[in-house]
Amino acid sequence: MTPTRLGIRTPVGGDTPDFVRDIGNANADLDALIARNLGNMFQPGRLGDGDFKVNSAGATMSVNVLAGVYFVKDDGLTFSELVPIFRNVAPPGTNLAIAASNGSLPRIDQIVANIDGSLAVLTGTATAGATLDNRLGTVALGNDQERLADILIPAASTSISAVNIRDRRMWARGGFTLRLLSGGGASITTASATPAAMSSALAVRLELGGTPIRYKLRGRFHNITATNSIVMDPRVDGVASPSGGEPGATTWTTFPGSGTGGTYVEFETVYTPAARNDGGGVTSDASGSHLIQPWWSSPAASTATLTGSANDHAQLEVEEMLQGNFNNGTS
Amino acid sequence: MAILRDAVTSEFIFEGTPLQVVRLADQLGRDEVLFDAVGPAFDPDAVLRAHGETVEGLSGALGEARGSDRTSLQRAVNVAQAEANVDSIVRDAQDSIERARMDYEPGHDDDEPDIPENPGGASLMPKETEPIVTEFRQGPDGTPERSNRS
C-alpha cells in the first residue's frame, strides 16, 4: 500500500486488493484529507446557530449541550487541521454536571468540546468579584479543545440560570450579524458632547476568531443645527477605536445638512487584528467574546438624531472575514 | 444589554441599558454591585454625564422648537427621562441581593475545615447567645422562602 494522488492509499504493483482493508484505508485517508483542507476554508466553530449550544438545565447544577457539528482545531499537528466532530442527541441535549458552588466566592467554569467528540467541564478557581467579563479564576484550555461557553457560578448558588451562561462558540465560516433599530421610524437622540453608547438595539456580542472584521453603520442622520457635526465611534467592548486599524477607523463624522429628514449615510471600517497586521494593529478585536456597539456624540451639544424606516434602515452590520490581512509583498 | 451583579456572590440582579444599571447601582450603592457585559473600560460616571448633557440639550432645544420638531423633541425628552427612572425596580433588585446572600457563608472555603484549629485550647467559638433558627419553606412559585426566628 502506497499513498498516491491526494494522499489516499490504494493497492499498487503486486498488492493483492483487499476490499475491507482498502475501503478502510481510503475512509481514514479521506477523513484526514478533508480535515487538513478544512483549515483553509473554516476556523474552529459551529456551522449552525444551535450546534453545541449550551443551555440552562433548569433548577439543577448542570447544563445541557445541544447536538450538531463543531470544528475543533488539532493543536498537536503541524498543519493545525480542523477536525469536525458530530453529536447526535435529542433535545434538550447532553446533560453535564457542574461542581457545587463555593459557599463564599463566585466561580467561572468552562464547557469545552474535545477533538474526540466528547464534552467536558473545566472547573475554575473560586475568586472574589468574578464576572463573565473579567473571567477571574478561569483555567487555560488544553490542546485540542474548543470553548463552548463560560458559566458563572455565583457563591452559594444551587442552579445555573441562562443569564449566567455566556455563549463562547465561534462561527466556523465567520460570524455575520445585522442589527436593526426596530420599528418603522424608530429614532434615537443625543445632545451630549460626551460620547455615549448608541441604542442597545445597535449592539451585538460576537465570538471572534482573530480575523479582520468589517464594521458598518448606516441610517438617516439629522442634527438640529445643520452646520454641527455628529461623530460616531465604532467601538469594541466600549473601548475607543484603537490606532492601527484602517485609516479613518477612529471616528466617523457627518454633517447631515439642513433638511428635516436628515441625510442617509453609510459608514464602514475594517479592523485588522494585531497578529495579522503588518504594522501596529489593533488589540480590541483579537479573538474572544466582544461587544460591538457604535458610540456617538454631538460635539456642539446640539440635538442629533439617527432614524430608521422601512426603506432606510438604521442598522449595524458586522462581518468576520476569514481571509486575514496578508499580501505578497511590494516587489 | 448591561448586567448588574451582587458584589458579594456575583449573582445576577438586573439587566438593562448602561444608564439603567448605573442608576440602579447608585440606588443600591456601587460597592454593593458589579457591572458585567459592558467591557473593561466601562465608566459609569461618563454614562451619567452623557445622559445629563442629553437631557439638558434636548430640554433647551424643546423651548425653542415649534410644530413637529417640538413633538419629536418632547418625545425624546420623555424617553430619556423614563430610561433614567429606575424607582420601580429598586425594590426587586434589593430582594435579589437579599436572596443571593441568603445562603452565603462569609469566609467559607470548601478546602478548609468549617471550625478553625485551635492548638492553644482557648475557645474560638463565639459566645453563646440566643440561637438564630433559619427555616426554609417552599414558596408558592417553588422558590425557597426564608424566615428567621430567635
Side-chain angles (χ1 to χ4, degrees):
Chain A
M1 297 293 295
T2 306
T4 59
R5 288 187 307 168
L6 299 176
I8 298 174
R9 285 168 286 183
T10 53
V12 294
D15 282 353
T16 303
D18 180 328
F19 180 78
V20 174
R21 177 200 65 191
D22 295 344
I23 289 294
N25 284 337
N27 188 40
D29 292 342
L30 271 172
D31 272 355
L33 189 67
I34 292 170
R36 181 173 296 124
N37 284 285
L38 284 175
N40 297 326
M41 296 180 278
F42 299 121
Q43 63 181 359
R46 57 182 151 158
L47 289 178
D49 190 33
D51 290 343
F52 282 70
K53 181 171 174 48
V54 179
N55 291 318
S56 165
T60 65
M61 285 302 284
S62 69
V63 294
N64 290 324
V65 183
L66 291 177
V69 182
Y70 210 90
F71 291 94
V72 178
K73 185 180 174 189
D74 188 343
D75 295 305
L77 294 182
T78 306
F79 295 109
S80 293
E81 295 152 334
L82 291 178
V83 176
I85 60 173
F86 308 89
R87 292 189 72 81
N88 183 14
V89 55
T94 305
N95 187 259
L96 294 177
I98 303 291
S101 64
N102 183 286
S104 59
L105 297 171
R107 193 181 77 226
I108 307 274
D109 290 358
Q110 299 168 82
I111 308 300
V112 298
N114 294 310
I115 204 164
D116 64 0
S118 64
L119 302 169
V121 180
L122 302 184
T123 303
T125 303
T127 307
T131 66
L132 291 170
D133 271 359
N134 64 35
R135 305 185 72 245
L136 293 174
T138 50
V139 299
L141 288 185
N143 277 344
D144 306 338
Q145 282 185 332
E146 299 296 338
R147 184 184 297 111
L148 302 176
D150 285 337
I151 313 289
L152 172 58
I153 295 125
S157 59
T158 55
S159 63
I160 309 292
S161 58
V163 76
N164 288 332
I165 300 174
R166 175 168 288 178
D167 188 353
R168 299 298 312 270
R169 298 169 300 156
M170 294 203 303
W171 293 91
R173 291 176 288 186
F176 174 82
T177 188
L178 193 67
R179 300 277 292 170
L180 293 176
L181 197 60
S182 59
S187 66
I188 53 174
T189 305
T190 186
S192 167
T194 302
M198 282 184 162
S199 167
S200 297
L202 297 177
V204 65
R205 180 170 291 282
L206 264 184
E207 186 74 25
L208 301 176
T211 58
I213 57 169
R214 194 189 309 277
Y215 191 140
K216 287 184 182 177
L217 176 69
R218 58 177 73 124
R220 186 167 290 282
F221 290 87
H222 175 250
N223 197 320
I224 204 164
T225 304
T227 52
N228 287 348
S229 64
I230 305 172
V231 176
M232 271 70 61
D233 182 353
R235 295 194 177 193
V236 178
D237 296 326
V239 178
S241 304
S243 62
E246 182 189 44
T250 306
T251 54
W252 298 316
T253 304
T254 183
F255 292 85
S258 58
T260 53
T263 308
Y264 195 78
V265 186
E266 177 177 315
F267 303 99
E268 178 178 326
T269 286
V270 173
Y271 282 152
T272 51
R276 300 290 183 89
N277 200 334
D278 289 339
V282 299
T283 55
S284 60
D285 57 340
S287 61
S289 177
H290 294 291
L291 178 65
I292 297 167
Q293 181 178 28
W295 286 41
W296 66 339
S297 61
S298 178
S302 57
T303 302
T305 305
L306 167 62
T307 305
S309 67
N311 294 324
D312 294 337
H313 289 300
Q315 67 183 49
L316 170 73
E317 190 179 308
V318 183
E319 177 189 4
E320 189 180 20
M321 299 182 292
L322 299 190
Q323 294 91 341
N325 178 27
F326 302 119
N327 61 58
N328 291 98
T330 56
S331 58
Chain B
M1 299 291 268
I3 289 176
L4 208 58
R5 295 187 180 279
D6 172 27
V8 174
T9 63
S10 289
E11 184 59 276
F12 172 82
I13 297 173
F14 175 75
E15 183 173 29
T17 66
L19 176 64
Q20 287 173 323
V21 298
V22 173
R23 291 275 298 146
L24 188 55
D26 284 344
Q27 298 266 348
L28 300 171
R30 287 197 193 174
D31 290 344
E32 298 293 319
V33 296
L34 298 169
F35 297 107
D36 200 4
V38 288
F42 186 65
D43 180 354
D45 293 326
V47 172
L48 293 177
R49 192 163 56 246
H51 179 259
E53 290 173 6
T54 289
V55 170
E56 188 180 338
L58 289 173
S59 300
L62 181 62
E64 301 167 5
R66 297 286 179 272
S68 61
D69 271 0
R70 183 174 178 79
T71 304
S72 60
L73 280 168
Q74 183 64 63
R75 190 165 54 232
V77 170
N78 292 345
V79 167
Q81 289 176 337
E83 186 188 353
N85 186 351
V86 294
D87 291 347
S88 62
I89 50 181
V90 170
R91 181 61 186 272
D92 284 347
Q94 288 170 332
D95 289 348
S96 294
I97 291 179
E98 190 177 329
R99 271 197 306 276
R101 297 181 184 180
M102 195 164 65
D103 295 327
Y104 168 68
E105 303 168 40
H108 181 273
D109 188 321
D110 289 340
D111 297 332
E112 295 176 357
D114 288 339
I115 300 173
E117 293 180 12
N118 179 24
S123 173
L124 292 176
M125 297 297 286
K127 287 182 180 177
E128 191 168 341
T129 57
E130 284 286 308
I132 297 174
V133 179
T134 303
E135 291 182 336
F136 295 91
R137 63 177 185 269
Q138 194 86 346
D141 59 352
T143 56
E145 290 183 345
R146 184 182 68 165
S147 66
N148 288 335
R149 61 179 173 82
S150 56

